[in-house]
């Protein structure tokens, strides 16, 4: 599930950032990266105005029509004739070698998003293991899924390339509990640990550019008038008398 634009990140706006506050934000993010071995960001996510309803469409809404099927098969058949298997494998290997980081965003029911970086060769299991380290109730069963259509991630051995999560993806978190009063109470509580929630919005502070001080303008000095070059008058030469001329 490639990252889409159906949701927006609610970021805090700052006009004047205290340098001490920016340094503290960078230190907290660096400490979290050192502790968990990954870059971590926490955002609050809100649906865009174009999203009219939060209700999920039924799975049959996304079923292929016969026209869709023949169109997809025709494009695959054309690609098969244009490129040999070795060429496709070489192109895929080259593409994999260029990508060194995958950004996974995990969205929780309380409208918070956890952003984590992985290597493309890591598996879905590494994502699940990381989620267990940061959620508030790791003792409860949970699962992650993509949508649309809703598809639960069951194969934990898939790497992010095989799962289609490169260069980035959005997955959704849900506790795997029966729908009763206890489940409702669990879903109303914070999903992430307080330590992780304290990172919320820090990347905005840390990424603020330092104020640039303008150089003072030189004091205006009264410029002395430039000297006026006087034109030198040509000297009149007296006619010289030849030596042989005598009066």
């Amino acid at each position: 599930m490639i990252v889409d634009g159906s949701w927006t990140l609610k970021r805090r706006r700052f006009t004047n950032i205290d340098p001490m506050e920016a340094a503290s934000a960078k230190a907290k993010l660096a400490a979290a990266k050192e502790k968990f071995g990954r870059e971590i960001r926490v955002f609050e996510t809100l649906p865009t105005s174009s999203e009219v309803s939060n209700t999920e469409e039924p799975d049959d809404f996304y079923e292929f029509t016969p026209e869709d099927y023949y169109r997809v098969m025709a494009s695959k058949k054309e690609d098969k004739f244009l490129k040999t298997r070795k060429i496709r494998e070489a192109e895929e290997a080259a593409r994999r070698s260029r990508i060194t980081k995958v950004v996974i965003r995990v969205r929780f029911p309380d409208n918070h998003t956890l952003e984590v970086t992985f290597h493309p060769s890591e598996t879905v299991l590494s994502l699940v293991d990381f989620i267990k380290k940061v959620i508030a109730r790791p003792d409860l069963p949970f699962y992650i899924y993509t949508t649309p259509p809703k598809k639960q991630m069951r194969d934990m051995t898939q790497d992010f390339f095989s799962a289609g999560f490169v260069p980035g993806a959005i997955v959704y978190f849900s506790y795997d509990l029966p729908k009763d009063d206890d489940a409702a109470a669990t879903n109303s509580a914070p999903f992430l640990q307080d330590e992780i929630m304290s990172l919320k919005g820090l990347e905005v502070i840390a990424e603020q550019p330092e104020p640039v001080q303008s150089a003072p303008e030189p004091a205006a000095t009264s410029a002395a008038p430039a000297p006026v070059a006087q034109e030198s008058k040509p000297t009149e030469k007296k006619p010289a008398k030849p030596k042989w001329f005598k009066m």
Side-chain angles (χ1 to χ4, degrees):
M1 184 70 180
I2 302 300
V3 177
D4 58 15
S6 61
W7 290 64
T8 56
L9 301 179
K10 184 179 179 182
R11 297 175 181 265
R12 298 164 61 191
R13 293 183 179 179
F14 299 91
T15 53
N16 297 323
I17 300 297
D18 186 359
M20 295 294 293
E21 186 179 1
S24 176
K26 291 180 180 179
K28 287 183 179 180
L29 292 173
K33 181 179 180 180
E34 182 177 359
K35 179 178 179 179
F36 295 99
R38 304 185 185 278
E39 295 179 3
I40 305 173
R41 303 289 186 269
V42 179
F43 314 109
E44 184 177 357
T45 49
L46 294 176
T48 60
S49 57
S50 61
E51 190 171 2
V52 179
S53 175
N54 291 329
T55 58
E56 185 179 342
E57 298 288 351
D59 291 342
D60 56 2
F61 177 81
Y62 301 97
E63 289 183 355
F64 275 179
T65 63
E67 292 79 8
D68 295 331
Y69 173 79
Y70 287 117
R71 183 169 58 251
V72 172
M73 293 304 296
S75 62
K76 289 185 176 181
K77 184 178 180 181
E78 181 181 359
D79 182 69
K80 181 178 180 181
F81 283 107
L82 291 177
K83 296 180 181 180
T84 64
R85 179 179 178 181
K86 289 185 177 180
I87 293 178
R88 291 195 300 270
E89 291 177 353
E91 290 179 349
E92 180 65 16
R95 187 176 73 91
R96 292 194 176 202
S97 64
R98 290 194 301 266
I99 301 176
T100 59
K101 183 174 71 171
V102 178
V103 179
I104 305 295
R105 288 179 175 175
V106 185
R107 286 182 176 160
F108 294 87
D110 61 354
N111 291 334
H112 282 93
T113 294
L114 174 69
E115 181 180 286
V116 195
T117 58
F118 293 86
H119 191 273
S121 62
E122 294 185 83
T123 63
V124 176
L125 180 61
S126 62
L127 172 60
V128 173
D129 289 340
F130 178 80
I131 293 176
K132 290 180 181 179
K133 297 177 181 178
V134 298
I135 57 176
R137 295 293 305 274
D139 56 309
L140 297 179
F142 69 90
Y143 63 92
I144 56 176
Y145 63 95
T146 58
T147 185
K150 186 176 181 179
K151 179 183 178 182
Q152 185 174 340
M153 301 300 299
R154 300 183 184 274
D155 187 357
M156 299 290 109
T157 63
Q158 275 189 320
D159 61 23
F160 292 120
F161 270 111
S162 302
F165 286 179
V166 175
I170 298 174
V171 299
Y172 296 82
F173 174 94
S174 177
Y175 283 121
D176 193 7
L177 299 173
K179 295 181 179 181
D180 53 16
D181 294 340
D182 293 338
T186 302
N187 288 326
S188 62
F191 287 83
L192 293 170
Q193 298 175 10
D194 293 339
E195 178 184 4
I196 303 300
M197 285 298 297
S198 67
L199 304 177
K200 178 181 175 180
L202 291 185
E203 84 291 340
V204 180
I205 303 175
E207 293 172 0
Q208 288 294 318
E210 296 181 358
V212 179
Q213 296 181 354
S214 57
E217 297 181 358
T221 57
S222 58
V228 180
Q230 297 181 356
E231 297 181 359
S232 59
K233 296 181 179 181
T235 57
E236 296 180 359
K237 295 182 179 181
K238 295 181 180 181
K241 296 179 180 180
K243 293 182 180 181
W244 53 267
F245 182 78
K246 293 182 180 180
M247 293 297 291

